[in-house]
Each structure stands twice: as C-alpha cells, then as structure tokens.
C-alpha cells in the first residue's frame, strides 16, 4: 500500500492545501494529513478546531485520514508506514526551503521520498500565515478557505 503524509500546521486549512492534496490523492492508496504540533509556536486555532475543519473538508474522501503528531516528521512517517511526504511549492523561496528540508529528511530516513507538487497560479499567494493575519484583523477570508472549513470558524 502506498501511504503518503501531507504534513503542516493547517492553521487554518486553505484552498491551496486542498488543491495540492486533491492533485496528490490519485498517486497514493492512502494519505494522512498530519497536523504538526510545535510547542514553540502558539497556534491561532486549537488542534481540535483544525482537525474538525480538515475532517469536514475531506468527509467524502475515504483515502484520507487526519492525525496529529509531535517531533520529527520522518519519525511520524515511519510510525504510520508512509513512504512518501507531500509538499506544496508556491514560490522559488518555498522550493529552496523545502529542498533543504527534503535533503535533511533524506539523510535521516532515505527510504522516505519527498514529493513536491507545484501550486496552481491562482493559489500561489495563499498561505496560512497571511490568512491568519487577515483573521486576526477581522478581515474576510471566505475566498481563501474551503466552505466546509469556513463554516467552522
């Protein structure tokens, strides 16, 4: 079984995340959306809210599971038997950052392959960081967040 991990904070999930995941889904038998918990960062949304949003967005997709994890992403991949890690690339700077992470992950766990999926142009400016800033300032984020997730905000 080909299992992939799509790791991230998903704080909040965006239409860009959904696009990457939907395009990756046909490549794998199962995709685990891994909500990484980082004790040095204070999330905007609770872990439970992020899980609920992702489960709502992908409620009709039996190949997708949502889980949380702490620690090294490659260790979580091993725990769930994922041989692949999906990463979205929006910009050249994303590529440089993700390439460095992929190379370190490969050094730690050469059996886990990083798969880069380039964002569609219409989604390249959408990031959770920017969406969080808009939310914090009471702006309208409806155009950036899937309806199922927006309904849970």
């Amino acid at each position: 079984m080909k299992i992939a991990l799509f790791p991230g904070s998903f704080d909040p999930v965006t239409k860009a995340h959904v696009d990457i995941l939907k395009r990756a889904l046909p490549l794998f038998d199962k995709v685990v959306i891994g909500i990484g918990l980082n004790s040095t960062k204070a999330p905007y949304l609770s872990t439970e809210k992020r899980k609920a949003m992702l489960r709502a967005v992908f409620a009709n997709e039996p190949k997708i599971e949502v889980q949380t994890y702490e620690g090294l992403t490659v260790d979580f991949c091993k725990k769930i038997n994922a041989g692949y890690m999906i990463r979205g690339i929006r910009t050249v700077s994303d590529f440089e950052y993700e390439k460095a992470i992929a190379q370190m992950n490969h050094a730690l766990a050469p059996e886990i392959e990083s798969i880069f999926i380039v964002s569609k142009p219409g989604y390249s400016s959408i990031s959770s960081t920017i969406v969080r800033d808009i939310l914090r300032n009471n702006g309208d984020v409806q155009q950036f967040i899937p309806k199922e997730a927006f309904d849970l905000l």
Side-chain angles (χ1 to χ4, degrees):
M1 180 179 251
K2 286 195 289 187
I3 301 171
L5 172 67
F6 186 36
S9 65
F10 305 100
D11 188 25
V13 61
T14 68
K15 288 181 177 180
H17 291 128
V18 173
D19 174 61
I20 295 293
L21 192 49
K22 283 185 176 179
R23 290 169 47 216
L25 208 52
L27 305 172
F28 304 102
D29 299 308
K30 176 178 162 183
V31 175
V32 175
I33 300 172
I35 301 171
L37 306 178
N38 184 337
S39 60
T40 64
K41 285 185 178 179
Y44 180 76
L45 298 171
S46 72
T47 302
E48 289 309 312
K49 176 71 77 174
R50 291 181 277 162
K51 274 184 176 170
M53 291 171 114
L54 286 161
R55 287 182 175 139
V57 171
F58 296 105
N60 296 317
E61 185 46 70
K63 290 169 57 172
I64 292 179
E65 259 180 44
V66 179
Q67 295 186 36
T68 59
Y69 73 97
E70 291 184 81
L72 293 175
T73 303
V74 291
D75 289 342
F76 185 61
C77 282
K78 291 175 187 175
K79 180 180 173 187
I80 62 169
N81 296 313
Y84 306 91
M85 197 179 311
I86 302 164
R87 300 301 296 165
I89 303 289
R90 292 172 298 137
T91 63
V92 172
S93 59
D94 276 358
F95 174 74
E96 290 297 329
Y97 174 77
E98 293 294 345
K99 180 180 81 162
I101 298 284
Q103 289 170 331
M104 293 303 286
N105 285 338
H106 184 74
L108 294 170
E111 69 277 14
I112 299 169
E113 196 64 56
S114 293
I115 307 295
F116 295 150
I117 298 181
V118 177
S119 142
K120 288 183 179 175
Y123 296 122
S124 63
S125 64
I126 301 173
S127 74
S128 290
T129 303
I130 294 170
V131 172
R132 272 194 310 275
D133 280 345
I134 296 168
L135 281 169
R136 281 190 182 109
N137 290 288
N138 301 312
D140 182 7
V141 296
Q142 194 164 1
Q143 64 183 314
F144 309 118
I145 295 179
K147 181 187 179 333
E148 303 86 350
F150 184 79
D151 290 347
L152 295 173
L153 275 176

